[in-house]
Amino acid sequence: MASALLYYFLILIFGIPMHECVAVLRDGRCVIEEPCFDLSVMANVAELVSKDVIALDGEKILLKHSSFDKIRKKKNLHSCVLQKIIDLFQDVLDKTNGTYVHKNEEINHHHELIHIMDQLRNCVYKKKNRCKKLYKMSDITTTSSPMVNILKKMNPNQLAVLQLQKLKSASKRVSDVHIQEKVMDELKSLHLYVQGKGFRKNTND
């Protein structure tokens, strides 16, 4: 009975601090790891910037989540694809700066989002050598838009190449208003594509 009470007492002493820490215990000290980036902030600002953009019909630039999920589970693939996604979206934001500014707003959310994209880039794992090989594959391989049933059978590498090709095609026509509107529309769900293995969750990763 006494040993059971002692065990319970030790759990209370050592368990509570660890619970309150909600971080990592290193050398007996609680080390709080700050998040590398708050995706909810980006989602909220993106919604403000693109709230007046009407959803467009036709093929999207970003793959559907069911296909992109295969990419996000692979750290190297996800990080390489994310870098190109950020390149395109940031390019469009730069070109449309002033176009989507809403009247009577004290803060220029469009300009704020451009700054946020810079911060986002810093939280993507950098895999230069791996990316070079993948980018080269996307340049060599030519893939037309596959049917839904074919997409389901494609492996993560094939899907990553396809996504890179779609991004490259859009980048070549980035001055086209139609492409700009597509990007601004897809901006609303961009934060969902960032989540995955290629995105650093905290500053100590």
Side-chain angles (χ1 to χ4, degrees), residues 9-63:
F9 182 69
L10 290 172
I11 288 293
L12 285 176
I13 291 176
F14 295 109
I16 293 175
M18 288 181 68
H19 176 71
E20 290 178 348
C21 177
V22 194
V24 177
L25 197 67
R26 292 178 186 161
D27 300 325
R29 295 183 300 108
C30 176
V31 180
I32 298 174
E33 296 184 342
E34 296 180 0
C36 189
F37 185 87
D38 190 346
L39 288 172
S40 63
V41 172
M42 185 183 78
N44 292 335
V45 178
E47 184 65 33
L48 291 170
V49 169
S50 59
K51 64 182 179 183
D52 295 333
V53 180
I54 300 172
L56 300 174
D57 295 328
E59 188 180 345
K60 301 288 187 181
I61 297 171
L62 297 178
L63 294 173

Side-chain angles (χ1 to χ4, degrees), residues 69-79 156 197-198:
D69 278 346
K70 292 183 181 180
I71 299 173
R72 94 170 85 224
K73 290 175 182 177
K74 303 290 183 179
K75 184 177 179 178
N76 294 329
L77 296 179
H78 188 224
S79 61
K197 296 285 187 180

Side-chain angles (χ1 to χ4, degrees), residues 42-43 46-47 50 62 65 89 184-194:
M42 185 183 78
E47 184 65 33
S50 59
L62 297 178
H65 291 292
F89 278 73
M184 294 303 291
D185 177 39
E186 295 186 47
L187 186 62
K188 299 169 186 174
S189 61
L190 180 60
H191 61 286
L192 300 174
Y193 288 83
V194 177

Side-chain angles (χ1 to χ4, degrees), residues 161-172:
V161 168
L162 175 61
Q163 180 63 88
L164 288 169
Q165 289 174 339
K166 288 166 72 68
L167 291 166
K168 187 175 181 179
S169 175
S171 295
K172 288 180 178 178

Side-chain angles (χ1 to χ4, degrees), residues 35 104 116 129 181 197:
N104 302 321
I116 286 174
N129 293 332
E181 289 177 347
K197 296 285 187 180

